[in-house]
Amino acid sequence: MLEEMLALGFMQRALAAAALTGLLCGFVGFFVVLNHMSFLGVGLSHSAFGGLALGLVMGWPPMLTGAAFSLLSALGIGALGRDRRMGTDTAVGILFATAMALGIALTGLIRGQYVDLFSYLFGNVLTVSSSELWALIITAALVFTVLGAYFKPMLYISFDPESAEAGGLPVTSLHYLLLILVALTVIVAVKVVGVILASAFLTIPPASALQLSTRYRQVVLLSMSLALMAALGGLFISFVVDISSGAAIILLSSAIFAMAAAVRRLRPPLTAPKKLRLPS
Amino acid sequence: MVVDFQSVTLAYNGHIVLDGLSFAVESGTFLGIVGPNGVGKTTVLRLAAGLLRPTRGRVSVFGQDPASPRVRSRIGYLPQLPGTNDIFPVTVRDVVDMGLLGAAKSRPVDEVLQELDLRDIQDAPLAALSGGQRQLTFLARALARDPDLLLLDEPTTGLSPMAKEHFLARLKELLERRRMTVIAVYHDVEDMNPLTDRILRLTSRPSPRLRGVR
């Protein structure tokens, strides 16, 4: 069965795309979960839907228009979210609903391309072309390089933004950079698991890793490993059972999370390492 | 002067939080800021850290704009109840390491951990620490920068009496060893470190004013 699967050209591309997306989501998702940005992931992936529909209507590459919508939404959410009277969640709610409504409105203009649009809604990694795979590789390389270079400052601004800013880190710029990297990751994930499930792939693997470790280096490696496992395992299950690959990947991720949560509950709770010594 | 506030007014949402506050802090001075809730104690500290800009007046630190990277690289800042995000997978050492980012100078992390009695628990996850241990960890993060100006926002609030005593004793020890300028906000005058040279007592009316106590 496995040999038969690996012999197929489209399946080789699908496996490469799924593996790369898993690694990317596991890495970027670490910051998404720590910054409580899961809803932002939902917003950015749904914003991409408007761009995808526009691309299909206009005959432009849908992934490019989707990426443009996702990036613009990220910047808009960043700007609107700084307004204390609004907050990030309200900004996400406004922008993603607007882009989604635009996508639905444009759907009426798409004649005969419903199948394409639905493949983006639910994801279809089996249709990844060579050029799309290259675009994915370049995007992933860019995100890995930039986030790798700024990993420690990102960790600090995620942990304690006020102290990071007082310490001289450009917190606002780094926050926008993180939003852009999340938007790029979302658009990659949309092709593999679809608009509806993309945010889940950014959230579930790091959330699972956080159940298993209290050290950030281990959490990042575990998050990437678990996402890779879910991506490849889900793809294999979808091939064997003949179900949607995106759904299979997310369901496997959720099963891994359930196991990780169970493992954590079996462990003793964290306690203070020693009593404070009073000064002599 | 290390810190200089000249007729500083700060309005927020049409509310005047500080009105024409002037004071200066000389090098090596320990200034304690006290006053009732909502009077603007933390605001003064945040202005000195360059996190807020005055609506009117001028704040300078080391003779420059406190928001400039050159000034910030010389400041150690301990905000009120920092890092309360318990899901964050960091150890004591990771937190202290963060302090080195953007710093003009630094001290060996091992030395700082030793000084604050944290070496034995350097690999402990932050989520497992007691309140006192956490606060010492955040103080260590500020000290790892070898700061010329240390800003402390209610450093002992929420600590048990034992942890409070331990924290203040460690702070006293290190200030005896190393001269630096300190501005600390306190909720209660009783919490103030014995090393405090001057007190800035903020009141809602009349305008905030400075009183020297020594």
Side-chain angles (χ1 to χ4, degrees):
Chain A
M1 173 77 75
L2 196 61
E3 275 181 29
E4 183 191 329
M5 188 177 155
L6 292 174
L8 301 167
F10 72 87
M11 193 48 98
Q12 290 166 3
R13 286 194 298 278
L15 282 167
L20 213 50
T21 306
L23 291 170
L24 192 60
C25 284
F27 189 41
V28 177
F30 170 75
F31 286 102
V32 169
V33 170
L34 290 183
N35 282 283
H36 305 286
M37 291 165 104
S38 301
F39 186 50
L40 176 87
V42 175
L44 293 181
S45 57
H46 284 68
S47 297
F49 180 74
L52 293 165
L54 184 68
L56 288 172
V57 168
M58 302 301 290
W60 298 332
M63 289 305 282
L64 273 184
T65 48
F69 265 57
S70 191
L71 282 169
L72 286 173
S73 296
L75 297 175
I77 288 163
L80 289 174
R82 293 176 66 77
D83 184 341
R84 283 170 182 264
R85 284 169 297 181
M86 183 172 293
T88 302
D89 59 337
T90 308
V92 171
I94 292 168
L95 284 172
F96 109 71
T98 307
M100 193 80 190
L102 179 68
I104 293 166
L106 289 171
T107 304
L109 302 173
I110 304 173
R111 309 226 183 275
Q113 295 199 54
Y114 278 116
V115 177
D116 272 359
L117 197 58
F118 275 109
S119 80
Y120 288 113
L121 263 183
F122 300 107
N124 192 351
V125 70
L126 301 177
T127 62
V128 170
S129 64
S130 293
S131 57
E132 283 174 329
L133 182 59
W134 275 110
L136 196 157
I137 290 169
I138 292 166
T139 309
L142 178 74
V143 175
F144 273 122
T145 305
V146 174
L147 194 52
Y150 288 98
F151 189 87
K152 282 207 166 176
M154 287 288 187
L155 189 71
Y156 194 7
I157 70 155
S158 304
F159 177 65
D160 186 356
E162 187 171 279
S163 296
E165 189 176 356
L169 295 191
V171 173
T172 305
S173 306
L174 287 169
H175 181 66
Y176 274 105
L177 179 62
L178 183 59
L179 289 175
I180 289 169
L181 296 176
V182 173
L184 288 172
T185 305
V186 159
I187 200 71
V188 164
V190 159
K191 185 67 193 175
V192 177
V193 291
V195 164
I196 294 170
L197 299 176
S199 61
F201 208 28
L202 271 170
T203 308
I204 302 175
S208 308
L210 281 166
Q211 302 293 316
L212 300 171
S213 178
T214 53
R215 285 156 199 268
Y216 73 85
R217 289 182 189 85
Q218 286 177 5
V219 171
V220 172
L221 287 175
L222 269 170
S223 174
M224 291 169 71
S225 307
L226 296 176
L228 179 67
M229 197 190 300
L232 298 180
L235 196 55
F236 182 72
I237 291 168
S238 77
F239 183 78
V240 173
V241 190
D242 194 20
I243 55 170
S244 156
S245 54
I249 289 169
I250 299 303
L251 285 173
L252 186 55
S253 293
S254 301
I256 291 170
F257 175 80
M259 282 188 275
V263 168
R264 187 191 168 193
R265 284 180 189 281
L266 293 174
R267 286 182 177 171
L270 293 172
T271 49
K274 67 168 191 177
K275 288 196 187 292
L276 279 171
R277 286 208 299 267
L278 280 172
S280 52
Chain B
M1 290 301 160
V2 173
V3 177
D4 192 9
F5 276 54
Q6 292 175 9
S7 305
V8 171
T9 296
L10 187 112
Y12 179 73
N13 279 347
H15 250 1
I16 292 181
V17 183
L18 292 174
D19 188 10
L21 176 67
S22 295
F23 71 92
V25 184
E26 290 168 7
S27 179
T29 302
F30 192 121
L31 176 76
I33 302 177
V34 290
N37 282 336
V39 79
K41 302 187 295 292
T42 294
T43 302
V44 172
L45 214 61
R46 299 188 84 225
L47 282 162
L51 296 169
L52 292 173
R53 296 244 179 219
T55 312
R56 278 201 305 270
R58 182 167 179 269
V59 176
S60 66
V61 177
F62 304 119
Q64 298 174 57
D65 177 358
S68 74
R70 192 175 291 180
V71 171
R72 284 178 161 173
S73 68
R74 298 173 64 187
I75 291 177
Y77 182 61
L78 175 59
Q80 197 176 348
L81 302 172
T84 47
N85 185 351
D86 269 352
I87 67 161
F88 228 93
V90 283
T91 62
V92 169
R93 194 181 185 94
D94 295 333
V95 174
V96 179
D97 274 339
M98 287 178 190
L100 303 178
L101 293 167
K105 298 176 284 176
S106 64
R107 293 176 60 201
V109 170
D110 285 325
E111 191 182 296
V112 179
L113 290 168
Q114 183 74 44
E115 194 171 59
L116 291 175
D117 200 17
L118 294 168
R119 198 150 186 184
D120 293 346
I121 60 166
Q122 61 176 312
D123 293 323
L126 189 73
L129 302 188
S130 67
Q133 288 169 325
R134 274 189 201 208
Q135 207 62 341
L136 281 173
T137 301
F138 291 118
L139 179 63
R141 182 181 65 181
L143 293 174
R145 304 168 66 82
D146 197 12
D148 295 314
L149 173 63
L150 185 61
L151 303 173
L152 309 171
D153 193 357
E154 299 201 18
T156 52
T157 295
L159 301 188
S160 67
M162 190 175 76
K164 195 180 284 186
E165 187 185 341
H166 183 77
F167 180 90
L168 292 175
R170 286 286 173 271
L171 185 62
K172 183 172 178 284
E173 279 171 17
L174 76 92
L175 289 175
E176 282 167 351
R177 274 199 298 271
R178 192 180 177 284
R179 184 181 157 91
M180 66 178 93
T181 311
V182 184
I183 301 180
V185 162
Y186 293 101
H187 187 64
D188 297 314
V189 183
E190 298 85 62
D191 290 343
M192 205 167 288
N193 191 284
L195 291 179
T196 305
D197 299 308
R198 300 175 74 198
I199 297 172
L200 175 64
R201 195 180 300 276
L202 296 179
T203 53
S204 47
R205 281 174 206 281
S207 296
R209 58 187 186 274
L210 180 69
R211 287 179 190 168
V213 293
R214 192 179 276 185

